[in-house]
Amino acid sequence: PAADWAGWPIRDSRSLVCGPVNSASGPDPTPAMPDGLRAAAVAARGFMPTEEGDALWVAALEATAAVPGSPLLEIGSYCGKSSIWLGAAARHAGVVLFALDHHRGSEENQAGWEWHEPDLVDPEIGRMDTLPRFRRTVFDAGLEGSVVALVGDSPTVGPFWGTSLALLFIDGGHGSEPAHRDYELWTPKVASGGTLCIHDVFPDPADGGRPPFEIYQRALADGFEERRAVGSLRVLTAAR
Ligand code: SAH
Ligand code: MG
């Protein structure tokens, strides 16, 4: 619905890559995602509306064009749905997506919470384990060469991560502490001119939790520039 949109709609994204409106003869900077990969992303299990996933594909293509040769990293892969959109762009650009997740689920994925899926519990240990489903999603999409799983806790991995990123996608723990910690730990790793994407940003508290919106506001205050909004996805550019 139009009310969900702010900033530039995705169809205008080419102007963001090339500045003024392209000549019709110029190369298309945002080629369509290969049909099979897009179908796999749409069919995959998880929490990424198609319109927002398509915006991830565009954002990642732009990011890899702006910062060639640097990888993408997402925090919060779950069963690999967003990983297909981002991994497809990584493959297109000849880089990789690092998909960081401890695969034990966020607070809201645990038993008794709104977003719990009981079949994703490992019955022997009684804990969530989305890694097998993630691996299968990436395998079925044919993206094992472009999507590298980092299985671990974000604040444990972050301090040892030194590679600057063309794109960072934050979609991990949505509580206040996890979201702000991910913001503080990982956004300094976004390359100059690189892209920061944040999911589940709801300006109206009636639509969802505050922390993703709060870190989006921090990003703006810290000099990230908003490039696009699609649904609850915000796409920002590291201007520094
Ligand atoms: N992007 C996914 C949805 C992510 S759900 C999709 O497209 O469907 C949030 C994920 O963040 C969960 O899989 C959870 O395990 C992970 N997560 C939460 N806190 C984390 C932390 N501290 N470190 C690593 N992963 C975390
Ligand atoms: Mg999300």
Side-chain angles (χ1 to χ4, degrees):
D4 286 349
W5 290 64
W8 284 301
I10 192 168
R11 283 177 199 288
D12 289 343
S13 62
R14 67 190 59 196
S15 66
L16 299 171
V17 177
C18 294
V21 175
N22 277 348
S23 67
S25 58
D28 184 350
T30 57
M33 188 169 173
D35 284 345
L37 282 171
R38 185 167 181 276
V42 170
R45 191 162 169 176
F47 306 110
M48 185 54 59
T50 297
E51 182 184 56
E52 297 168 39
D54 287 342
L56 282 178
W57 156 262
V58 173
L61 288 185
E62 292 167 351
T64 53
V67 188
S70 290
L72 322 178
L73 188 142
E74 78 174 347
I75 307 171
S77 304
Y78 199 63
C79 297
K81 189 173 180 71
S82 52
S83 316
I84 300 182
W85 273 290
L86 292 172
R91 187 176 81 176
H92 181 87
V95 295
V96 300
L97 167 70
F98 291 102
L100 171 59
D101 200 308
H102 52 37
H103 289 284
R104 296 298 185 203
S106 302
E107 199 176 44
E108 58 272 21
N109 303 127
Q110 305 305 319
W113 290 71
E114 186 179 0
W115 301 107
H116 182 56
E117 303 192 281
D119 64 308
L120 295 174
V121 172
D122 177 341
E124 289 181 20
I125 64 169
R127 299 280 307 277
M128 295 271 302
D129 186 2
T130 49
L131 182 57
R133 176 49 49 188
F134 169 88
R135 277 176 71 75
R136 184 61 192 270
T137 302
V138 173
F139 176 84
D140 285 349
L143 286 173
E144 284 196 334
S146 305
V147 177
V148 178
L150 287 179
V151 182
D153 186 31
S154 162
T156 304
V157 177
F160 299 102
W161 185 271
T163 303
S164 74
L165 301 170
L167 179 144
L168 171 67
F169 175 46
I170 300 181
D171 193 22
H174 288 23
S176 183
E177 207 268 332
H180 283 275
R181 198 181 42 194
D182 283 344
Y183 178 83
E184 289 159 15
L185 199 50
W186 288 95
T187 54
K189 305 173 197 294
V190 179
S192 178
T195 298
L196 170 64
C197 296
I198 305 175
H199 199 226
D200 303 302
V201 171
F202 299 110
D204 182 349
D207 295 331
R210 303 315 286 151
F213 178 72
E214 290 166 8
I215 65 171
Y216 156 71
Q217 298 225 292
R218 279 182 81 173
L220 294 175
D222 288 343
F224 285 89
E225 290 170 0
E226 180 153 343
R227 184 153 103 225
R228 195 172 305 119
V230 178
S232 74
L233 181 73
R234 296 295 178 276
V235 180
L236 303 105
T237 306
R240 349 154 240 141

